[in-house]
Amino acid sequence: MSLSFEGRVVLVTGAGGGLGKEYALAFAERGASVVVNDLGVDTKGGGKSSAAADKVVEEIRAKGGKAVANYDSVEDGEKLIQTALDEFGRIGKLQCFFCINIYFSFILLSTPDLIHRVHLRGSFLVTRAAWNHMKKQKFGRIIMTASAAGIYGNFGQANYSAAKLGMLGLANTLAIEGRNYNIYCNTIAPVAGSRLTETVMPPDLVASLKPEYVAPIVLWLCHEQCQENGGLFEVGAGWIGKLRWERSQGCIVRSKNEPMSPEAVRDQWEKICDFTDSTRPLNIGESLQSMVSVLSRVDGGVGANPTASAATTSSHSYESVIFYLFIYFFFLLHSGVNVSFSCRFLYEGHPDFSCLPTFGVIPSQAAMMDGGLGSVPGLNIDFTQVLHGEQYLELYKPLPTSGELTSEATVADVLDKGSGAVILLDVNTYSGKELVCYNQWSVFVVGAGGFGGKRNSDKAKPLLPPPKRAPDAVMIDSTTRDQAALYRLSGDWNPLHIDPSFAAMGGFKAPILHGLCSFGFAARHVLKQYADNDPSRFKAIKVRFVKPVMPGQSLQTEMWKEGNRIHIQCKVKETDAVVLSGAYVDLQGASEGGGLQSELVFAEIGRRIKDVGSELVKKVNAVFGWEITKDGQNVAQWTIDLKNGCGALHKGPYSGKADVTFTVSDDDFMEVVQGKLNPQKAFFSGKLKIRGNIMLSQKLEVILKDYAKL
């Protein structure tokens, strides 16, 4: 279907010739009402005539189109817009195009000149005159015409280059400020033959670079179907390319409490300028985030370079829940396990029919494999060289026994361990918009290290050694020779666990048991020993996979109870080899869900949001995430949504991407709220960590001050 501009009003400045004329004719041909603006000046900016604009208007009308001429300077932006309103009653599209190109030497840049007045100031004035009309009707499209000279620079064009790049900065800000009103602003840097370029290009090249090879992208960017906003495009000769900013990973060149020197910059210059695994910041928040991360890590004592991340989404069904449970209990039945325990997790007619908590890893697995690992730049996965290093699972509510789940995977960090790389992947799994569970996968890729990255990450869920005493309880279960073959049917299709030749390539004599299968055995042992097989008592589990288990071997789980945390260590009974270490299971106890001072504050914030949420949404327009810690562990997560609807407070992470996320201990949170701890000091001391748009934290500070009074 062809693109139509019927009922739309278009203003084209500089439309008496060249590209501007081509735009005006193209819009009119497709039904737009066109305001043809042109001063009628010569290539040096002198003289003035109505002839150029009049001729274009006559050509449009001769073809049955609608057009009106305007001869005002763009510095009189209000007059241009008023012409559109007087003639056509509305302003639906605004094209900022200027065709003056005057050469000045660098020394004349300090002299007031026509270039900046027309190109940059004129762009601002015309846009400002149209802005409120566009906001009122909730529609507008703006095209700024920059130049390669502004993007890359060009000898002898200092003033012109500065003005054109200034237009790009103006366009980027308009794109941000206008998007909530359906006003989109994009920038093009065209190359076309005109009366200006004919003085610097060979005649045959000028003839080949036709203006009609540029006009189509302008029409597309202005059409209501196009959702592009804030883009920069080079166009010419029938070719179009999009430009974006690229930034190297960079390098921290200072240490805590040490001065920064030019020699340190010199010594790290090659790394500073290395674009391997470069990042592409999309907004000022992402740009500032790296600097904030450096301040936090250096001054807070962490000392590591920021890394890139990526995300993906995957949907899952719970139709395989019973089969997952059967994988375990088929073998348990043959090992003499109490059948009443099995029926609770196997028979849908059981009064307490429940889902085994460790099923929470299954819906996250496809998102991790299909999107998480695949999103790491430059990483080509050889699954014979991939080892599952660690796993963390946390449930926010008992897993449903049926339904559909959505999992979102994000690369949290990439670590250099020398002989390999460790990839940390965070996966949140939702039922609708409600968070059900969170997984952190730690994957070791053999041979992918040695890239000069950091070895450790504060984003990794910590491992904890068991108490130095004899275990409080020990449980043993046997696997069978077919255990791996059956477990893989739950969704882990890695041939390492069934194909002998594939296992041999990975350095194993035979297919090995899945680490997550051992993980499930250990979790069930804790549930039986300390939670009366009640899955609602399960909160979280963390393990490190130390050595492989061969199908048929027996798994022995040693347990130490420390309050609601059960430290565990899993061994192969036949060899006494430790296969799971640094592990623990957190259970919900009588004291769970209380005892945090911050809960009182968030409860008060929630009540106030219900009262004045709409007003706060208008003022703030952001989503804030909170991660509350205690003894170094995340114990609560909250979302303050002051962006959608009438505002809301949710317990748990945001279903999308929060604009800014704060991590702070429960005690320090209260110190900040009560004014005893300055937020800036908390940040620079490492007590308060911030991810995302740090500038929004100023708004939240007011909210906490005004609405968190106890």
Side-chain angles (χ1 to χ4, degrees):
M1 181 182 294
S2 61
L3 300 178
S4 172
F5 289 89
E6 289 285 346
R8 297 298 186 187
V9 179
V10 179
L11 165 63
V12 183
T13 64
L19 285 170
K21 176 182 178 181
E22 189 63 32
Y23 298 166
L25 295 175
F27 276 114
E29 183 180 349
R30 292 175 179 263
S33 300
V34 183
V35 177
V36 179
N37 166 262
D38 201 286
L39 275 172
V41 299
D42 57 31
T43 58
K44 295 183 179 180
K48 185 174 182 180
S49 171
S50 63
D54 289 340
K55 288 181 180 179
V56 176
V57 171
E58 290 172 5
E59 185 173 347
I60 291 174
R61 290 177 175 174
K63 296 178 180 179
K66 293 170 286 187
V68 62
N70 176 276
Y71 320 112
D72 295 303
S73 167
V74 290
E75 293 185 274
D76 298 317
E78 293 286 352
K79 293 181 180 180
L80 277 68
I81 301 305
Q82 194 59 48
T83 298
L85 294 172
D86 291 344
E87 187 71 20
F88 302 118
R90 66 199 298 264
I91 180 74
K93 302 278 196 304
L94 174 64
Q95 323 310 324
C96 292
F97 176 78
F98 305 95
C99 57
I100 296 177
N101 186 352
I102 304 175
Y103 290 91
F104 288 100
S105 65
F106 182 82
I107 197 171
L108 293 179
L109 182 60
S110 60
T111 304
D113 61 275
L114 189 61
I115 292 290
H116 281 260
R117 283 169 44 204
V118 172
H119 289 266
L120 187 53
R121 188 167 183 268
S123 298
F124 165 73
L125 291 172
V126 173
T127 304
R128 183 178 67 175
W131 193 255
N132 286 334
H133 298 289
M134 290 181 169
K135 284 179 63 176
K136 185 176 181 180
Q137 67 187 25
K138 293 191 179 300
F139 183 86
R141 297 291 186 267
I142 303 171
I143 306 297
M144 295 286 182
T145 298
S147 167
I151 300 170
Y152 306 109
N154 194 31
F155 182 83
Q157 292 185 291
N159 49 4
Y160 179 76
S161 299
K164 285 299 189 182
L165 190 58
M167 291 175 64
L168 175 60
L170 173 62
N172 289 341
T173 296
L174 293 176
I176 295 170
E177 294 184 356
R179 61 190 173 198
N180 290 337
Y181 300 96
N182 193 26
I183 303 173
Y184 298 159
C185 184
N186 293 283
T187 306
I188 65 170
V191 177
S194 69
R195 59 176 179 160
L196 301 174
T197 57
E198 67 185 7
T199 62
V200 294
M201 292 182 180
D204 56 342
L205 182 58
V206 173
S208 300
L209 295 171
K210 299 178 180 180
E212 53 261 42
Y213 295 154
V214 176
I217 186 176
V218 174
L219 269 68
W220 166 240
L221 290 173
C222 288
H223 199 272
E224 58 194 29
Q225 292 180 12
C226 182
Q227 297 300 299
E228 184 71 33
N229 188 30
L232 170 62
F233 302 87
E234 287 188 291
V235 54
W239 171 88
I240 302 170
K242 186 174 183 179
L243 281 75
R244 64 185 179 189
W245 293 105
E246 183 179 23
R247 183 173 64 185
S248 70
Q249 283 284 345
C251 178
I252 298 175
V253 293
R254 72 179 181 93
S255 300
K256 185 176 182 180
N257 299 325
E258 295 291 334
M260 181 175 169
S261 69
E263 289 79 14
V265 177
R266 174 200 63 197
D267 296 342
Q268 296 295 332
W269 192 248
E270 184 176 348
K271 191 170 184 180
I272 291 170
C273 300
D274 183 3
F275 277 86
T276 303
D277 296 329
S278 61
T279 62
R280 300 178 179 90
L282 298 176
N283 52 57
I284 194 170
E286 292 184 10
S287 173
L288 186 61
Q289 184 175 350
S290 293
M291 315 304 169
V292 172
S293 178
V294 170
L295 290 174
S296 176
R297 295 178 181 189
V298 175
D299 296 331
V302 180
N305 282 313
T307 58
S309 65
T312 187
T313 301
S314 177
S315 295
H316 306 270
S317 171
Y318 261 28
E319 295 175 355
S320 58
V321 167
I322 292 180
F323 182 75
Y324 172 81
L325 305 175
F326 173 75
I327 290 170
Y328 288 104
F329 293 116
F330 173 80
F331 300 103
L332 294 176
L333 290 171
H334 289 274
S335 302
V337 174
N338 192 315
V339 176
S340 64
F341 171 58
S342 304
C343 284
R344 175 174 186 169
F345 296 94
L346 283 172
Y347 176 44
E348 68 275 13
H350 192 281
D352 295 320
F353 179 55
S354 304
C355 184
L356 196 66
T358 49
F359 182 83
V361 301
I362 300 302
S364 74
Q365 190 161 330
M368 186 274 295
M369 297 298 290
D370 297 340
L373 288 178
S375 67
V376 181
L379 181 61
N380 297 315
I381 298 295
D382 176 0
F383 283 102
T384 65
Q385 302 300 308
V386 173
L387 301 174
H388 194 171
E390 298 174 16
Q391 184 73 27
Y392 177 83
L393 165 66
E394 182 173 356
L395 301 187
Y396 296 97
K397 59 178 297 184
L399 296 170
T401 55
S402 63
E404 185 173 285
L405 301 177
T406 298
S407 295
E408 297 177 353
T410 303
V411 178
D413 222 334
V414 180
L415 308 178
D416 186 354
K417 296 295 186 178
S419 61
V422 170
I423 304 171
L424 295 178
L425 295 126
D426 289 341
V427 184
N428 286 316
T429 299
Y430 301 89
S431 176
K433 292 186 177 181
E434 186 177 16
L435 182 66
V436 175
C437 64
Y438 160 78
N439 281 269
Q440 184 177 83
W441 299 71
S442 177
V443 180
F444 187 84
V445 184
V446 179
F451 52 86
K454 60 186 179 181
R455 290 186 59 86
N456 300 299
S457 173
D458 56 357
K459 298 178 182 177
K461 297 296 181 180
L463 295 158
L464 298 174
K468 294 182 179 180
R469 67 172 189 266
D472 298 325
V474 177
M475 292 191 68
I476 301 173
D477 270 321
S478 297
T479 67
T480 73
R481 296 186 183 279
D482 298 322
Q483 187 91 54
L486 189 56
Y487 182 86
R488 72 187 297 269
L489 299 180
S490 67
D492 188 341
W493 302 103
N494 191 337
L496 177 66
H497 305 292
I498 195 168
D499 187 342
S501 61
F502 198 94
M505 288 190 288
F508 301 102
K509 295 181 179 180
I512 62 175
L513 188 63
H514 304 69
L516 287 177
C517 190
S518 303
F519 170 92
F521 270 86
R524 287 189 298 99
H525 288 162
V526 173
L527 275 181
K528 182 178 181 181
Q529 181 68 32
Y530 292 109
D532 195 28
N533 294 328
D534 182 0
S536 67
R537 294 278 312 279
F538 183 96
K539 180 180 179 182
I541 179 172
K542 169 71 179 185
V543 306
R544 168 178 281 175
F545 304 105
V546 182
K547 290 186 177 181
V549 177
M550 306 307 295
Q553 292 180 325
S554 299
L555 292 171
Q556 175 178 302
T557 303
E558 301 171 341
M559 295 168 272
W560 295 260
K561 189 176 189 302
E562 296 279 339
N564 289 326
R565 173 163 289 170
I566 313 300
H567 294 269
I568 58 176
Q569 179 174 267
C570 199
K571 296 180 178 179
V572 171
K573 181 184 177 182
E574 291 81 358
T575 64
D576 205 41
V578 175
V579 294
L580 301 179
S581 71
Y584 56 87
V585 172
D586 286 336
L587 299 175
Q588 304 279 7
S591 63
E592 284 293 324
L596 294 179
Q597 303 173 78
S598 56
E599 289 192 352
L600 299 175
V601 177
F602 285 108
E604 178 65 17
I605 291 175
R607 285 192 289 270
R608 297 304 179 91
I609 289 176
K610 289 182 180 180
D611 294 338
V612 292
S614 298
E615 180 182 344
L616 289 174
V617 169
K618 292 179 181 178
K619 291 181 178 179
V620 179
N621 190 34
V623 176
F624 302 94
W626 283 90
E627 297 174 348
I628 305 299
T629 67
K630 194 169 186 178
D631 299 325
Q633 301 292 316
N634 278 353
V635 292
Q637 290 180 284
W638 295 88
T639 298
I640 301 176
D641 184 353
L642 296 177
K643 194 174 191 176
N644 303 294
C646 297
L649 175 75
H650 306 291
K651 190 167 186 179
Y654 186 50
S655 58
K657 182 179 180 181
D659 294 293
V660 59
T661 300
F662 304 88
T663 302
V664 64
S665 73
D666 186 55
D667 291 338
D668 290 334
F669 175 85
M670 295 304 300
E671 292 279 306
V672 171
V673 170
Q674 294 170 1
K676 298 178 181 179
L677 176 61
N678 181 277
Q680 286 77 20
K681 290 183 178 180
F683 171 73
F684 285 113
S685 66
K687 292 182 177 180
L688 173 65
K689 297 178 181 179
I690 304 176
R691 303 193 306 273
N693 187 352
I694 190 174
M695 305 304 292
L696 291 172
S697 61
Q698 299 176 12
K699 295 184 178 181
L700 186 57
E701 187 176 350
V702 175
I703 297 170
L704 290 175
K705 181 179 179 181
D706 292 342
Y707 297 104
K709 296 177 181 178
L710 301 178

